[in-house]
Amino acid sequence: MAYANKRACEEAAGRIVACMLKGRPGDWGMDIDSWDWNPGVSLIALLDHAECTRNSELLEEVIRWTERNRLRADRHRAVNAMAPFAIYPGLYERTGDSYFMQHAVEIGDWMLTEAPRTKIGAFEHTVTESEEFAEQVWADTVFMAVLFLARLARATANKKYGEEALLQLRLHYRLLQDEETGVLFHGWDCARNNPMSAARWGRANAWIALATPWILEELDGMAVASKEAAAFLVERCRVLLQGLKSCQSENGLWPVVVNRPEFRPEMSGSAGIACGFVKAAKLGWVGADYRAAADLTLERLLGAIDVDGCVGGVSGGTPVLPTEEAYNAFEVRPTLYGQGLALLLLNEYLRGQEVMKM
């Protein structure tokens, strides 16, 4: 990557981070001091950025967030609200503070023994709001909850968490992947045995395209799966990425529903998909042409960040909607997960081919 572009990535990432840390109390999209998936995605990205840039001040900011929000953590035992816990194993490793490990293990055990599941054993998509999605499996869960389990497995060297992470990843691919196109449906209703609106929503695809290489990296060397099982997941991800690559628009972005090119482009899903491309290319799962495809997305992302560091073109928090057209008409607003997915893509370019440890 050219030096000038790296400088552009550094500057853009700095603005995004500053925007995220402002907080904006009362604004659901940008209020970082709450305990849910939205700030959780941003925290995963902030810790990743602190690591790849060796930024000790940002690491302290993340730790201070946990101190401010510890009481909120105990109020929510919902699968979709597990995302903030994904930073706990890493914070334990960096600080040695037993608080992070004790709470991570407590939550990991809750997920293994008490978290609601569908009749086939997949995590049911439960949320902090007073909404119920009985027997529903959503792609979001893989990033919000399964990534945490993989990280906990690595940090504790306990195979039970890794085995559950791989089981959930296999189940989500089995239920959500469209065999015809390779891309993913947003959700699956296990009670009715159908994909509901059958929308191939962009951000749903991003959650799993990004999480799969990350999860398998975390579990590498743990012997939690046979070589055949691991190869199966790599192949499922490769098929997903191939399908997504065929849906990328000439401008480098993906439409809000990936197989509807006439729909508006959506930035958070595009950034997440491109980040998955870069991660998979680094692991050798796909060729250099995927990195080139991500380069196009990066160019558009850099132009979508305003002077205050806010990433534009991001769809609001999106449940499984009744029609594909409803996704296209859904609100566009600044969000912490949009900031986070953009920052994760920038992080991959900032760290280059090697991950720099703190």
Side-chain angles (χ1 to χ4, degrees), residues 53-344:
T53 60
R54 301 180 181 181
N55 187 330
S56 59
E57 292 182 5
L58 182 56
L59 174 62
E60 289 301 320
E61 286 282 358
V62 173
I63 293 170
R64 283 193 287 272
W65 182 93
T66 68
E67 293 168 350
R68 295 195 306 271
N69 289 281
R70 287 180 181 185
L71 294 178
R72 293 183 175 96
D74 295 329
R75 300 174 192 164
H76 300 302
R77 291 291 173 90
V79 167
N80 203 40
M82 295 295 101
F85 286 115
I87 67 173
Y88 274 38
L91 290 179
Y92 171 73
E93 292 169 336
R94 289 160 180 78
T95 66
D97 186 340
S98 61
Y99 167 84
F100 295 115
M101 181 56 71
Q102 290 170 1
H103 279 70
V105 169
E106 177 186 338
I107 292 302
D109 290 344
W110 174 83
M111 290 182 67
L112 264 58
T113 61
E114 298 182 53
R117 296 173 185 255
T118 68
K119 60 185 179 183
I120 67 166
F123 287 140
E124 187 177 284
H125 192 77
T126 57
V127 296
T128 56
E129 298 88 353
S130 57
E131 299 278 351
E132 293 186 4
F133 305 102
E135 287 293 321
Q136 289 188 18
V137 175
W138 294 15
D140 315 45
T141 299
V142 171
F143 193 91
M144 306 309 162
V146 181
L147 176 61
F148 159 69
L149 285 175
R151 290 180 165 188
L152 182 59
R154 178 188 49 74
T156 60
N158 193 324
K159 294 170 63 173
K160 68 179 182 180
Y161 304 117
E163 289 166 352
E164 184 66 43
L166 292 181
L167 170 64
Q168 292 299 324
L169 192 54
R170 289 196 300 271
L171 287 171
H172 280 73
Y173 270 109
R174 172 186 158 191
L175 294 172
L176 299 174
Q177 192 159 38
D178 174 24
E179 291 299 325
E180 181 179 347
T181 63
V183 300
L184 305 174
F185 300 117
H186 185 179
W188 185 269
D189 189 323
C190 291
R192 296 174 175 80
N193 199 36
N194 67 47
M196 293 177 277
S197 61
R200 299 163 181 87
W201 178 48
R203 200 159 62 235
N205 282 268
W207 294 134
I208 293 185
L210 171 52
T212 301
W214 217 344
I215 288 167
L216 293 183
E217 269 193 302
E218 295 284 353
L219 299 178
D220 184 40
M222 282 198 67
V224 293
S226 67
K227 290 183 179 179
E228 293 77 12
F232 169 80
L233 287 170
V234 172
E235 180 58 25
R236 286 295 88 200
C237 185
R238 186 179 291 117
V239 169
L240 167 61
L241 299 182
Q242 289 171 346
L244 289 171
K245 190 167 181 290
S246 71
C247 295
Q248 187 180 27
S249 301
E250 290 184 3
N251 63 14
L253 301 181
W254 280 264
V256 65
V257 176
V258 296
N259 62 324
R260 296 293 297 270
E262 73 276 18
F263 282 8
R264 63 176 173 83
E266 202 280 323
M267 187 57 70
S268 67
S270 296
I273 292 168
C275 191
F277 279 15
V278 176
K279 283 183 174 292
K282 287 181 179 180
L283 292 171
W285 297 2
V286 295
D289 53 328
Y290 285 79
R291 178 63 178 256
D295 290 346
L296 294 175
T297 310
L298 178 67
E299 288 183 29
R300 287 299 302 271
L301 171 62
L302 292 173
I305 304 166
D306 68 19
V307 293
D308 295 320
C310 183
V311 178
V314 174
S315 285
T318 311
V320 178
L321 297 174
T323 65
E324 291 181 341
E325 287 71 22
Y327 286 87
N328 196 42
F330 205 72
E331 66 171 351
V332 176
R333 63 180 296 178
T335 66
L336 288 167
Y337 57 80
Q339 302 289 114
L341 287 167
L343 184 59
L344 286 170

